[in-house]
Amino acid sequence: MSLPAELLEPNATGLARAAGVLREGRLVAFPTETVYGLGADARNDHAVASIFQAKGRPRFNPLIVHLSDAGAARDIAVFDDMADRLADSFWPGALTLVLPLRPDSALSPLVTAGLPTVALRVPDHPVARGLLSAFGGPVAAPSANPSGSVSPTRAAHVVDGLGEKIAAVVDGGACPVGVESTIVGLTPEPVLLRPGGLPVEAIEACLGGPLAVPAKTANVTAPGQLSSHYAPGADVVPNVTSPPSGALWLGFGPACSDAALNLSPSGDLVEAAANLFGYLRELDARAAPGQPIAVAPIPDHGLGRAINDRLRRAAAPRR
């Protein structure tokens, strides 16, 4: 029988222990500002394969590599002027860049799913940064949950989903952003591959022009592109304007006083993003068999664009 994950404190002792577990080729979940990540040494084939096994993640779905600073990222990928501008403006932060992979990167090919590009991020969370510094190398880390289910924003969510499949969890409290990073591809033109915790408007202002939207294709070219994803067990119905009969209603804004839970009674998109996955989990636990979760309309700008992306994927037909 597998042992439950070791819970580690977010202090020097806990981070040193977590870094040691990573060096042993085992899996460690840790908080970032977006969601909890499931980390493995990105250079270790067996360790990276363990991520896919623990999550039940398709092998064709590439992983994001987390790094302590932009210098470490430049050792792995080829940066152009636009990549430099975005990294200088938004790293550390909730931005993932998909860039050409250097042939001498030493990453496991499982990380990139055999693609010539790699997804890189420098997180802005003291625990994540402390762990990356203590480990001293690249850490592949998708969200620390079973593939396709609701992403974890607290250590307890990780334990609920993966507690006996991973070695350790660093408990750093609730993730402040609450939705995954924004992913931008630069191969070579800037393309929005996934809206997320950094508003698209900020990226476009930095670049001085709009981000392109990728053509619809069945091929996965970056993390977070599966059509059905981030889903609770209950069906999700977005854009519901009034309390529906027979459904649990997840509200947004002051007009939703009858909602079972409200992402933000004041209509604050930052608060709503931070609450999204936790509230979906809570309503999923409350839902009777066959009872859906209906969600109030969310403005489609700023972090609302990321929230609506997650809700569309949660509502998509399950694979």
Side-chain angles (χ1 to χ4, degrees), residues 113-143:
L115 296 170
T117 55
V118 62
L120 303 176
R121 182 161 97 87
V122 177
D124 186 18
H125 190 290
V127 176
R129 292 175 66 77
L131 175 58
L132 290 165
S133 178
F135 178 62
V139 173
S143 56

Side-chain angles (χ1 to χ4, degrees), residues 70-318:
R74 290 183 174 92
D75 290 337
I76 290 174
V78 178
F79 278 63
D80 59 14
D81 289 343
M82 283 188 293
D84 285 334
R85 197 183 320 164
L86 290 173
D88 291 344
S89 298
F90 300 116
W91 278 358
L95 174 67
T96 294
L97 296 177
V98 177
L99 299 167
L101 178 69
R102 289 189 181 278
D104 58 350
S105 71
L107 295 184
S108 166
L110 292 172
V111 169
T112 61
L115 296 170
T117 55
V118 62
L120 303 176
R121 182 161 97 87
V122 177
D124 186 18
H125 190 290
V127 176
R129 292 175 66 77
L131 175 58
L132 290 165
S133 178
F135 178 62
V139 173
S143 56
N145 58 294
S147 186
S149 66
V150 180
S151 297
T153 55
R154 295 180 180 272
H157 300 161
V158 179
V159 173
D160 286 346
L162 298 174
E164 295 186 352
K165 295 182 178 181
I166 64 178
V169 181
V170 183
D171 187 351
C175 299
V177 174
V179 293
E180 294 83 357
S181 61
T182 303
I183 301 180
V184 172
L186 293 171
T187 53
E189 297 303 317
V191 177
L192 177 66
L193 299 175
R194 180 182 71 183
L198 178 65
V200 172
E201 294 88 339
I203 299 169
E204 291 178 334
C206 177
L207 294 176
L211 292 171
V213 177
K216 293 200 177 206
T217 173
N219 297 325
V220 172
T221 59
Q225 291 187 312
L226 295 180
S227 59
S228 178
H229 207 13
Y230 315 112
D235 289 340
V236 174
V237 184
N239 297 313
V240 176
T241 56
S242 60
S245 176
L248 291 170
W249 193 31
L250 179 57
F252 174 80
C256 298
S257 58
D258 294 332
L261 290 173
N262 195 317
L263 290 168
S264 175
S266 66
D268 182 341
L269 289 171
V270 174
E271 180 183 21
N275 286 332
L276 177 64
F277 288 139
Y279 282 9
L280 284 175
R281 285 175 176 273
E282 185 171 339
L283 292 181
D284 194 33
R286 291 190 203 178
Q291 185 178 28
I293 299 170
V295 187
I298 308 294
D300 201 37
H301 60 78
L303 286 179
R305 191 165 177 177
I307 295 170
N308 284 323
D309 172 80
R310 303 310 188 269
L311 291 172
R312 281 191 293 270
R313 295 176 196 246
R318 311 293 168 85

Side-chain angles (χ1 to χ4, degrees), residues 18-28 39-41 44-51 135 167:
V21 172
L22 288 173
R23 291 189 194 101
E24 294 167 1
R26 298 193 291 159
L27 304 182
V28 176
D41 183 346
N44 182 323
D45 289 336
H46 185 272
V48 175
S50 296
I51 291 177
F135 178 62

